[in-house]
Amino acid sequence: MTILGEYVLPRDQSIWTSTLVEALSVLDIEEKSARQALARSSAEGWVVSERVGRRVRWSLTPPGRRLLTEGAERIYAFGNEEKAWDDRWLMLIVSVPEAKRDLRHRLRTRLTWAGFGSPVAGVWVSPDLSRQREAQQIVQELGLDAQAMSFTAAYGEVGDQETMVSRSWDLSDLKDRYEDFIDRFTGTHPSGEHGVLRAQTELVHEWRSFPFLDPRLPLKLLPDGWSGVRAADLFHRKHVEWRPEAQAQWDELAATSG
């Protein structure tokens, strides 16, 4: 999906199987696994094949194009700018009986992906008030809207925000992930026939998980020297630096393998 989004999506043209297999081999993915990945992408409706003689070429389907376009917007915009925060919180209260564990899991998964944290059972919070519509959609789709309630307010005088944040989000694990990203790509100077193509693809592939893992809290709620800021700066700087050569190497690979 990273290769499709980074190289196929911008060109709006079909691509031969051999090109995709060769591109994945640059990333040390064997041909059998590459073909299985293509088959899965096709089964999920992201790409469609067309036989031309004895060869096969692939095109993005409309759903696949939408998925990758939305993903690209989220990936490339993430970490680019800091939103101003007015110190207000969105609070969602929704309880699910212990017996309905599957429903509880689905609610937790979807709210977590939407950036919500849970300081105590049945309570979800976000410093992004614009998430209210998404929260409403989630509880409606799960059939929980009848017992859900939401509030927007500033934090009160009982307790402190730092404790609430630490109870709501595991920032230590996220910090470790950011620092691993920084360690991996700082000082990287790719070379060789497909060196920049590989480095750029791995850079984007590693970065693409952060928009879903990071709740995007305002800087004032984060620890001093938050590694996510440095990681975002590194990603955007390297992506711009490597992009022209990576795209040129892709075109060269497509011409020779196609």
Side-chain angles (χ1 to χ4, degrees):
M1 297 304 284
T2 300
I3 286 177
L4 292 176
E6 186 72 10
Y7 307 107
V8 178
L9 177 66
R11 286 165 174 75
D12 194 24
Q13 59 189 27
S14 58
I15 193 77
W16 296 108
T17 300
S18 56
T19 299
L20 291 168
V21 169
E22 179 66 19
L24 288 167
S25 73
V26 171
L27 301 166
D28 299 327
I29 297 174
E30 296 181 353
E31 180 177 348
K32 179 180 179 181
S33 297
R35 292 182 180 275
Q36 288 174 341
L38 267 174
R40 287 197 301 271
S41 298
S42 176
E44 292 173 1
W46 310 136
V47 294
V48 62
S49 63
E50 175 190 7
R51 184 166 292 279
V52 182
R54 299 180 62 183
R55 307 179 68 197
V56 175
R57 61 187 180 191
W58 299 84
S59 301
L60 295 172
T61 62
R65 181 166 294 279
R66 285 195 300 272
L67 175 75
L68 291 172
T69 299
E70 292 170 1
E73 290 172 353
R74 190 166 189 174
I75 292 166
Y76 302 137
F78 182 70
N80 246 344
E81 58 184 34
E82 170 67 14
K83 294 181 179 179
W85 186 47
D86 62 1
D87 293 338
R88 291 199 300 158
W89 288 88
L90 167 63
M91 177 187 293
L92 176 70
I93 300 177
V94 53
S95 60
V96 181
E98 178 66 29
K100 298 183 178 180
R101 293 187 177 181
D102 180 63
L103 183 58
R104 288 164 63 96
H105 174 72
R106 290 162 61 195
L107 177 68
R108 173 173 292 277
T109 299
R110 294 191 60 180
L111 287 175
T112 299
W113 276 61
F116 283 80
S118 179
V120 295
V123 177
W124 295 85
V125 294
S126 170
D128 186 351
L129 270 59
S130 68
R131 293 288 183 183
Q132 187 157 202
R133 180 171 295 181
E134 185 174 1
Q136 182 180 34
Q137 181 179 356
I138 290 171
V139 296
Q140 284 179 341
E141 291 178 355
L142 295 178
L144 296 169
D145 48 315
Q147 58 260 48
M149 297 176 285
S150 66
F151 304 86
T152 58
Y155 194 89
E157 297 180 1
V158 179
D160 58 79
Q161 290 190 127
E162 290 77 9
T163 299
M164 184 182 73
V165 169
S166 66
R167 289 179 177 176
S168 302
W169 293 278
D170 182 6
L171 295 181
S172 60
D173 179 65
L174 182 60
K175 174 177 176 287
D176 290 342
R177 287 172 177 261
Y178 273 131
E179 292 184 351
D180 287 344
F181 179 88
I182 293 169
D183 291 342
R184 177 172 180 181
F185 292 103
T186 295
T188 299
H189 302 287
S191 60
E193 184 180 10
H194 299 125
V196 181
L197 175 68
R198 174 172 180 147
Q200 180 81 324
T201 306
E202 291 178 339
L203 179 81
V204 175
H205 189 68
E206 291 298 318
W207 183 252
R208 67 181 299 146
S209 63
F210 286 113
F212 303 99
L213 295 172
D214 192 331
R216 287 155 284 174
L217 301 178
L219 277 177
K220 67 184 298 183
L221 296 175
L222 294 169
D224 293 338
W226 177 240
S227 54
V229 175
R230 291 183 287 120
D233 177 71
L234 176 65
F235 169 76
H236 292 291
R237 180 161 41 83
K238 290 291 188 182
H239 189 261
V240 170
E241 175 187 339
W242 291 342
R243 190 178 191 282
E245 183 62 23
Q247 296 293 326
Q249 289 184 6
W250 170 266
D251 288 332
E252 181 180 351
L253 183 148
T256 57
S257 63

